Amino acid sequence: MQIYNTLTKKKEEFIPLDPPNVTMYVCGPTVYDYFHIGNARSFVVSDIIYRYLEYKGYKVKYVMNLTDVDDKLIKKANEEGITTAEVSKRYIDAFFEDIDKLKIKRATVYPKATEHMQEITDLIKKIEENSYAYETEGEVFFDVAKFDGYGKLSGKNIDDLESGARVEINDKKRNPLDFSLWKKAKDGEPFWDSPWSKGRPGWHIECSAMSMKHLGESFDIHAGGNDLIFPHHENEIAQSGAGCNGGFAKYWIHFGFLNIRDEKMSKSLGNFFTAREVLNKYSAEAIRFLFNQAHYSSPLNYSSDLIESSKKGLEKISSTALKIKNEIEKGNNTGENPDFNFNNYYTQFEAAMDDNFNSPKAIAVIFDFVRDVNAVIAKRENLSLEFYKNAKLFLEKTAEQVLGILHFDELHAGQGPSLENDLIELLTKLRASAKADKNYQLSDQIRDGLKEIGITLQDSKTGTTFTKD
Ligand code: AMP
Ligand code: ZN
């Protein structure tokens, strides 16, 4: 299996440190709000990597941290007049509700920063003892200039970084690139005791301390979105290198952004949809299918057209799966067993996923499989139960258990392409052409007529979608 490693900037053969065990750490959410569909892409991609490693027979220990103390949490708590613990409790609960709805398999551990203050302060102490940190008025900073190889992950050069420094300005620092390991609490802020001051840890040190606590000083995979390469992951490497003797993470995997009109979806730009609002309209399977429209490392533009077309694409797979399920339920075993090479599809699916988790290619293999199964079904009156069971098994192992885009238990008649949906789509298109021809009387008639029968059209910049009462 080949994985692209950001650290070495090439695809490498995946050789775990202690096979069949695999240790994996993914940077999780800062729990100050509901997560958006961009964050969801990173969580789903990690989930698919986790599931595929298990498919390969590895025993995976998967850790995703929850950042439950940070400036954004403090701001939210102040705005609402509640504590940061109340803010994090609310959004941690919401996080689990939403990942469950997205059918994300739970990680082995979800460590919280506030529950690892001992490990965090111990690590800072070690970094300080090894002379890679300095204290100024109760604040502790990492001394970047002392650490050889800083910039190795992001490919950045320290001199360029200093001249262009888009880093936090703070006159207590010796160098603009130095970053906080420990922050002194201001009035009204939450704090923990430490040798330096009553305060809280910086964000980067939380991940170094929690990954090493749960996975050891050397572990296999560290992953997160592209936005985390610099400075977050670069700083994690520096801290762990300065405070420990282990090799830290061996493979660094980074995910492309979910964009909206070529711009990163983010809270600060305000161009986001929360995962829960999208889940109110679309199934987890359709959303997961959408995320697999691009390789995990590439950007992907979210739009209503793309989610609608994902839904349609997925219906091709689910309608065949439903057919298979119904045949198995009928239990008729009088038909013939066709000559069908299931192994060939497993081999192709694995070849795609083994090549740096190429899930779009893996989905193309599933589509070929569905097309070929349909062709076999169309040619014969009656097929053996064994054929249908093998077909189900393939879809279960690949589409269900690895990609999570299909769930046999939830398939029921009425799913899959429906005439009703197709007719609504057709009317929506006719309305769009009426509008383009400036025939507003007709376009309004279509919209109002649909409304009367309980179908509401919603126009947006990216197209028209509909909801049913
Ligand atoms: P945050 O809560 O902002 O710390 O982000 C949680 C995870 O979501 C991190 O792994 C980020 O890299 C990732 N992330 C944030 N925005 C996006 C986006 N637009 N597309 C994909 N991943 C993202
Ligand atoms: Zn992190």
Side-chain angles (χ1 to χ4, degrees):
M1 190 166 85
Q2 301 268 314
I3 297 184
Y4 181 84
N5 188 350
T6 313
L7 192 61
T8 55
K9 295 171 190 45
K10 56 178 196 273
K11 271 191 207 171
E12 287 175 21
E13 184 61 28
F14 179 59
I15 306 167
L17 297 166
D18 176 29
N21 298 309
V22 169
T23 38
M24 166 160 126
Y25 185 90
V26 179
C27 292
T30 307
V31 284
Y32 72 105
D33 208 341
Y34 300 112
F35 67 82
H36 58 65
I37 195 82
N39 303 126
R41 183 184 184 198
S42 285
F43 304 151
V44 167
V45 165
S46 321
D47 181 49
I48 290 173
I49 292 176
Y50 174 31
R51 288 157 174 255
Y52 187 62
L53 290 167
E54 289 198 330
Y55 172 101
K56 296 282 285 181
Y58 291 117
K59 277 187 68 204
V60 188
K61 182 163 185 194
Y62 169 26
V63 179
M64 177 175 272
N65 69 297
L66 302 171
T67 300
D68 62 346
V69 58
D70 141 284
D71 294 348
K72 287 181 265 188
L73 266 122
I74 296 174
K75 186 163 170 264
K76 185 89 166 197
N78 288 340
E79 279 165 10
E80 296 200 16
I82 55 177
T83 63
T84 50
E86 284 167 317
V87 172
S88 66
K89 160 98 181 57
R90 184 198 298 161
Y91 294 108
I92 287 173
D93 290 347
F95 167 78
F96 284 117
E97 271 173 33
D98 292 349
I99 63 163
D100 286 349
K101 282 195 206 140
L102 280 165
K103 307 216 166 108
I104 287 174
K105 187 172 147 70
R106 294 274 181 115
T108 323
V109 202
Y110 289 96
K112 295 177 194 152
T114 54
E115 291 173 1
H116 291 75
M117 287 301 165
Q118 189 64 50
E119 288 81 2
I120 292 170
T121 46
D122 285 350
L123 181 57
I124 300 175
K125 274 188 237 163
K126 274 202 233 157
I127 296 174
E128 209 179 21
E129 274 161 32
N130 294 345
S131 311
Y132 287 98
Y134 57 91
E135 184 196 340
T136 323
E137 298 164 33
E139 310 257 333
V140 186
F141 296 100
F142 190 92
D143 197 344
V144 165
K146 287 241 173 83
F147 188 75
D148 273 350
Y150 190 82
K152 196 164 61 176
L153 179 76
S154 54
K156 291 183 193 286
N157 156 314
I158 293 204
D159 297 336
D160 294 349
L161 282 171
E162 279 176 5
S163 56
R166 269 190 62 199
V167 282
E168 195 193 337
I169 302 297
N170 181 332
D171 51 20
K172 290 181 193 148
K173 291 190 206 174
R174 290 184 191 158
N175 177 325
L177 283 180
D178 293 351
F179 55 90
S180 287
L181 297 174
W182 189 261
K183 298 177 175 186
K184 189 173 168 183
K186 299 194 190 88
D187 280 349
E189 288 184 347
F191 61 81
W192 287 260
D193 283 329
S194 82
W196 313 284
S197 60
K198 288 185 186 308
R200 65 180 185 279
W203 170 39
H204 315 301
I205 197 76
E206 294 172 14
C207 280
S208 286
M210 290 192 278
S211 56
M212 293 194 288
K213 157 84 195 286
H214 293 279
L215 301 176
E217 290 189 1
S218 303
F219 56 94
D220 294 307
I221 297 174
H222 195 314
N226 271 337
D227 52 339
L228 303 184
I229 299 176
F230 186 85
H232 186 52
H233 290 163
E234 192 73 66
N235 291 352
E236 277 189 47
I237 292 178
Q239 293 162 159
S240 306
C244 309
N245 305 317
F248 203 46
K250 192 171 171 197
Y251 301 91
W252 287 84
I253 302 181
H254 288 99
F255 317 135
F257 297 141
L258 190 72
N259 289 338
I260 286 207
R261 282 174 228 109
D262 296 315
E263 212 167 21
K264 181 192 172 202
M265 185 183 286
S266 74
K267 285 269 156 59
S268 52
L269 292 172
N271 59 350
F272 65 90
F273 297 104
T274 61
R276 48 179 56 200
E277 68 186 303
V278 180
L279 278 160
N280 279 335
K281 259 178 98 181
Y282 296 99
S283 66
E285 290 80 4
I287 297 169
R288 297 177 69 106
F289 186 90
L290 176 143
F291 292 150
N292 287 296
Q293 296 303 295
H295 186 258
Y296 78 75
S297 61
S298 306
L300 175 66
N301 259 320
Y302 180 80
S303 68
S304 56
D305 281 353
L306 187 67
I307 180 91
E308 283 296 331
S309 68
S310 302
K311 203 174 121 187
K312 282 228 180 73
L314 190 59
E315 281 167 355
K316 288 192 190 133
I317 300 176
S318 49
S319 61
T320 302
L322 183 60
K323 222 184 294 176
I324 294 169
K325 186 179 166 185
N326 289 341
E327 289 300 329
I328 294 174
E329 275 167 16
K330 273 194 230 156
N332 172 10
N333 201 14
T334 55
E336 64 177 296
N337 201 16
D339 189 16
F340 195 90
N341 190 349
F342 286 98
N343 275 343
N344 177 29
Y345 300 92
Y346 282 105
T347 309
Q348 286 184 48
F349 176 82
E350 286 166 26
M353 292 301 283
D354 280 349
D355 181 14
N356 194 24
F357 309 106
N358 193 336
S359 59
K361 215 166 163 189
I363 288 190
V365 174
I366 295 174
F367 271 113
D368 288 348
F369 174 81
V370 162
R371 180 200 61 209
D372 298 347
V373 163
N374 283 334
V376 170
I377 297 175
K379 258 202 265 164
R380 289 174 183 77
E381 289 265 301
N382 213 349
L383 287 163
S384 69
L385 214 45
E386 190 188 334
F387 169 76
Y388 285 117
K389 283 188 177 163
N390 282 332
K392 182 173 183 226
L393 190 65
F394 176 80
L395 289 174
E396 261 170 359
K397 286 196 156 180
T398 58
E400 178 160 335
Q401 284 160 19
V402 174
L403 301 170
I405 55 170
L406 172 75
H407 292 90
F408 271 95
D409 283 353
E410 291 169 29
L411 287 175
H412 51 80
Q415 264 188 357
S418 83
L419 182 62
E420 182 187 284
N421 287 352
D422 288 349
L423 287 172
I424 299 171
E425 290 279 308
L426 178 64
L427 283 166
T428 311
K429 282 194 190 126
L430 289 174
R431 174 171 163 263
S433 17
K435 260 173 131 180
D437 294 342
K438 299 203 169 24
N439 186 349
Y440 298 116
Q441 199 191 347
L442 180 59
S443 67
D444 288 352
Q445 200 182 347
I446 295 175
R447 189 197 56 213
D448 297 345
L450 283 170
K451 179 87 194 154
E452 269 173 35
I453 54 171
I455 291 146
T456 310
L457 300 184
Q458 280 127 0
D459 295 320
S460 73
K461 281 185 193 138
T462 48
T464 303
T465 53
F466 63 85
T467 49
K468 294 182 207 168
D469 291 347

